[in-house]
């Protein structure tokens, strides 16, 4: 392998998905935020479907 081949591989941009998966704080934020938003939306949907008492 020549020097040119290694520098060509180093010049490639890092894919976005790899950048996300390499960042533990971003993964922690996503892991807390997504379930929280999901359960809030689910709870609001449940409250809206409760029939009004007469």
């Amino acid at each position: 392998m020549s020097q040119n081949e290694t520098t060509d591989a180093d010049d490639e941009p890092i894919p976005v998905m790899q950048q996300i998966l390499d960042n533990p704080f971003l993964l922690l934020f996503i892991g807390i935020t997504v379930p929280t938003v999901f359960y809030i939306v689910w709870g609001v949907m449940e409250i809206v479907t409760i029939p009004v008492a007469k």
Side-chain angles (χ1 to χ4, degrees):
M1 188 182 284
S2 69
Q3 183 64 24
N4 271 346
E5 291 176 10
T6 57
T7 56
D8 288 345
D10 293 340
D11 291 341
E12 294 179 9
I14 299 174
V16 174
M17 197 63 193
Q18 182 178 351
Q19 290 177 349
I20 292 172
L21 292 174
D22 284 343
N23 188 340
F25 294 108
L26 183 58
L27 289 176
L28 176 65
F29 175 76
I30 291 171
I32 292 172
T33 304
V34 169
T36 301
V37 169
F38 175 75
Y39 283 119
I40 288 173
V41 169
W42 186 9
V44 168
M45 287 171 43
E46 288 291 323
I47 291 171
V48 168
T49 59
I50 295 174
V52 178
K54 293 183 179 181

